[in-house]
Amino acid sequence: MKNMIKDAAVLLVITLFSGLILGVVYQITKEPIAKAEAEAARAA
């Protein structure tokens, strides 16, 4: 039982860390992607 709780805690930490990384990357790339889409729409 104790081992299962430890494994679940490790998975929780990995999931939280991965979600945080994805959120940061999304915030960094959101503006350049929007600019590229606007430029593509303007050029079309």
Side-chain angles (χ1 to χ4, degrees):
M1 183 71 177
K2 201 172 197 181
N3 191 25
M4 189 169 77
I5 292 173
K6 180 183 174 190
D7 291 344
V10 169
L11 287 174
L12 176 67
V13 169
I14 291 170
T15 303
L16 288 175
F17 184 71
S18 298
L20 180 66
I21 296 289
L22 285 172
V24 169
V25 169
Y26 174 75
Q27 289 299 321
I28 291 171
T29 60
K30 181 171 60 173
E31 189 176 330
I33 290 172
K35 285 181 182 178
E37 287 176 350
E39 181 66 28
R42 188 182 63 79

